[in-house]
Amino acid sequence: MPDRQRTYRTQAVILRRRDYQDADRVLTVFTPGAGKQELIAKGIRKTSSRKAGHLELFTHASLLVAQARTWDIVTEAVTVESFRYLRENLDDIGRAAYLCELIDSFTEADDESQPLWELLLLALRELDQHAEAAAKSESAFDVSLLLRWFELHLLGLSGFQPQFYTCLGSGEELQEETNYLSIGESGVFSPQFGKHRADVEPLEPDVLKVLRFLQRSRWGDVRGLSMRPLNLLKIENILHRMVLSILERQLKSVDFLRKLNYLAAG
């Protein structure tokens, strides 16, 4: 007789999914112990499926999985955290999609990723709390800060940490003056080394100071930060271009968020 299928349990966040055959779905999930995985949920698109509600996008679920030849099979799924508030408006859905797309883009299968797992869960929980506060007309932190903090810590944990403290040319500590940012090299040149380069741009001391603070700080220390909107927009632009430079492609969720912002402004 053949060996019985082996099963295992894992926590997972559903990053994306696609329909397969008549009633199945292939799920891309992120796990703390095995990084990114592709699993199949058989029969999930049938109205009688008990698993469907537990395998929605962005859900934190506990899974029982059976090992199989092509894709391992989700045999049981239980919701751990549904993040229901962030699902109530398109802006927060777009932000959650952005967090998950970044994790999807910067991780590989079978890589143990506990720090990135904790980063993603923290960000989703905070986004959900922000959405809940907004729904109740209560004061909340600036959600753009959360996204910028997440981007910087994701870059650091995935091996792409930008260099904001020492000059890329000399290795010496950067001074509080207008330095020169290199998007392609993910770092900063001092005036001596950057002033005459064609591939850099001026970086004001205030903006560099905030980038450093976001990079070195825990979220709890960033959460209440108040800063000039213009500086926050500059930081968003810098980090967006750094991410694109590393990935060498646009992110679908960024286009979605920009469309929403355009509609809101119009």
Side-chain angles (χ1 to χ4, degrees):
M1 289 181 63
D3 293 336
R4 296 179 63 188
Q5 270 187 329
R6 289 187 296 166
T7 61
Y8 60 93
R9 291 191 179 273
T10 184
Q11 302 282 302
V13 169
I14 315 304
L15 300 180
R16 56 185 166 92
R17 62 190 186 179
R18 67 181 187 273
D19 292 345
Y20 182 73
Q21 294 187 344
D22 292 336
D24 304 339
R25 276 201 179 114
V26 176
L27 309 172
T28 301
V29 306
F30 190 63
T31 72
K36 189 166 62 178
Q37 296 291 314
E38 282 203 333
L39 310 174
I40 190 166
K42 291 184 173 292
I44 194 175
R45 290 155 53 209
K46 295 178 180 177
T47 55
S48 59
S49 174
R50 296 181 179 180
K51 296 191 291 288
H54 302 285
L55 295 173
E56 296 289 339
L57 289 174
F58 325 133
T59 299
H60 172 199
S62 176
L63 309 180
L64 180 65
V65 183
Q67 292 183 331
R69 185 167 296 174
T70 304
W71 294 297
D72 288 357
I73 303 165
V74 178
T75 58
E76 292 178 14
V78 178
T79 298
V80 178
E81 297 171 276
S82 66
F83 307 116
R84 70 183 184 93
Y85 286 102
L86 66 78
R87 300 174 187 278
E88 293 180 358
N89 70 75
L90 286 174
D91 288 327
D92 289 317
I93 290 171
R95 290 167 185 140
Y98 179 59
L99 297 176
C100 288
E101 190 175 5
L102 281 175
I103 288 287
D104 189 10
S105 300
F106 277 89
T107 57
E108 300 292 340
D110 301 319
D111 287 344
E112 185 176 349
S113 307
Q114 186 71 34
L116 282 172
W117 167 259
E118 292 172 1
L119 178 70
L120 176 60
L121 279 185
L122 184 153
L124 288 172
R125 287 166 182 158
E126 288 293 312
L127 183 57
D128 194 55
Q129 288 181 25
H130 180 275
E132 180 181 7
K136 296 177 179 178
S137 299
E138 297 174 355
S139 60
F141 60 86
D142 187 335
V143 72
S144 294
L145 267 179
L146 175 64
L147 300 183
R148 306 295 78 80
W149 177 86
F150 180 89
E151 288 162 347
L152 272 170
H153 285 259
L154 172 69
L155 290 174
L157 289 171
S158 54
F160 296 98
Q161 179 157 293
Q163 178 52 263
F164 294 138
Y165 286 88
T166 57
C167 171
L168 290 174
S170 67
E172 295 181 356
E173 185 177 349
L174 295 167
Q175 302 303 307
E176 190 171 336
E177 58 188 334
T178 297
N179 290 288
Y180 291 84
L181 174 70
S182 170
I183 295 293
E185 296 186 49
S186 291
V188 183
F189 289 94
S190 67
Q192 179 186 353
F193 286 85
K195 204 167 189 177
H196 301 292
R197 291 178 63 109
D199 58 343
V200 298
E201 59 198 72
L203 182 64
E204 299 96 328
D206 286 352
V207 175
L208 179 57
K209 190 179 296 184
V210 176
L211 284 166
R212 288 173 168 179
F213 180 73
L214 293 175
Q215 186 181 66
R216 71 171 182 265
S217 300
R218 297 174 303 174
W219 171 244
D221 297 323
V222 172
R223 204 174 195 271
L225 183 66
S226 177
M227 60 180 296
R228 293 169 55 198
L230 180 59
N231 282 348
L232 191 52
L233 281 173
K234 289 177 180 178
I235 288 168
E236 178 180 354
N237 179 268
I238 288 168
L239 294 179
H240 172 66
R241 287 184 292 136
M242 277 190 179
V243 167
L244 291 187
S245 175
I246 293 165
L247 296 179
E248 298 182 337
R249 62 180 174 83
Q250 181 61 276
L251 298 173
K252 294 178 182 177
S253 52
V254 171
D255 290 336
F256 179 67
L257 285 170
R258 286 182 169 174
K259 286 176 184 175
L260 289 177
N261 290 336
Y262 176 78
L263 291 172

